[in-house]
Amino acid sequence: MLLKPRTTPRELLFLRTLSPRMMFTEEQMEDYINLEKGYEGELKFDALMDNQKREHLLIRDLFLTCNKSDFQLDNLLFTPERIYQLEVKNFEGEHYIETEAWYTSTGKQIKNPLLQLKRSENLLNQLLYKMKANMKVDSYLIFINQEFTLYSASQSLPVILPSQINRFLKKLFKDDNTQNFIYPRQKGIANQLIKLHKTETPYMQIPEYNYRKLKKGLVCSHCMGWMEVSIQGRVKCSHCSKEEFYLSAIERSVEEFKLLFPNEPLTVNRIFNWSGGCISRKTVQRYLTDRYKKNGKGRSIFYEKN
Ligand SMILES: [Zn+2]
């Protein structure tokens, strides 16, 4: 039973929307690629968990605070005896550990992911203690990318390599007793944790942007190329030739605009301009009138959620 699904991280939504429309610095680009890759890894792991036949209790993507410290959990799996904290990493290539420091094959030191794992485990334990939930937490780092190798990893580390994932999951879900995997008490604790989930992530790193400087147009949802007018009722990607109906293209445009400029009034002109004039003012107006509440008069007409 999935008690809380995963949603696309807000920071990633911003970066996806901004990247084709402005120049990122090298560092911003690297952050964006890492975030995209991390999310892709989490979705891959989600698919593996969704394939498990045995009924289980799972929370995805929790953002919590304990003693003024924020921490994030990729997956929490509840079994009758314990809670498994499963953190997914989509690292690629060769890595090695030397006296507890992690390096890539080129010798570049990276943040030790085990420290982050331990930190969130400690905070989760403190939180569970406060909630009087007497449950043991076991934490694992799961490396999901088949192209990942780790040298000098001691067997005692809570690390699951790509070739070990299936065996690891099999063991987690082992059917060695006939008892149910889901108990009301565990479900109660899980729901209490979900109630504490914070929706706003305070440490989003988004490049500065302003409306005037951003490139306008419709971005292809498939390849991020630019869309152009095609046959009636559709736009077509100039790069991959994917076609899209006007309505879905306007909808994406409106969502992007609302994400980047939540305090700006939604007007026909703005969306017409934002989508690079690919879709006529009349079509944009029809879309907004159908789905939003019209406010104001004459030139100051704007649209709001119904
Ligand atoms: Zn395309």
Side-chain angles (χ1 to χ4, degrees), residues 220-227 237-242:
C220 171
S221 59
H222 184 61
C223 77
M224 286 205 160
W226 293 97
M227 310 291 277
C237 175
S238 57
H239 186 70
C240 75
S241 302
K242 182 193 151 108

Side-chain angles (χ1 to χ4, degrees), residues 82-101:
R82 56 191 75 211
I83 302 175
Y84 289 93
Q85 182 205 174
L86 308 173
E87 288 301 302
V88 179
K89 295 285 172 206
N90 196 8
F91 292 5
E92 221 176 299
E94 297 178 342
H95 289 68
Y96 62 94
I97 304 175
E98 221 173 71
T99 50
E100 291 190 21

Side-chain angles (χ1 to χ4, degrees), residues 241-304:
S241 302
K242 182 193 151 108
E243 287 193 325
E244 187 176 13
F245 286 108
Y246 276 173
L247 283 186
S248 117
I250 304 176
E251 189 173 328
R252 287 197 299 117
S253 253
V254 170
E255 288 310 316
E256 284 179 359
F257 184 80
K258 282 185 348 195
L259 175 78
L260 297 183
F261 308 101
N263 301 320
E264 286 287 313
L266 196 57
T267 67
V268 173
N269 262 338
R270 268 291 160 93
I271 296 305
F272 171 73
N273 186 258
W274 179 244
S275 53
C278 277
I279 296 163
S280 73
R281 280 195 173 82
K282 228 172 110 186
T283 313
V284 173
Q285 184 174 31
R286 214 170 42 226
Y287 174 88
L288 291 175
T289 313
D290 276 359
R291 286 163 177 79
Y292 290 83
K293 202 173 91 197
K294 202 163 144 183
N295 273 312
K297 274 199 178 106
R299 289 172 70 89
S300 53
I301 285 176
F302 66 97
Y303 294 82
E304 278 181 322

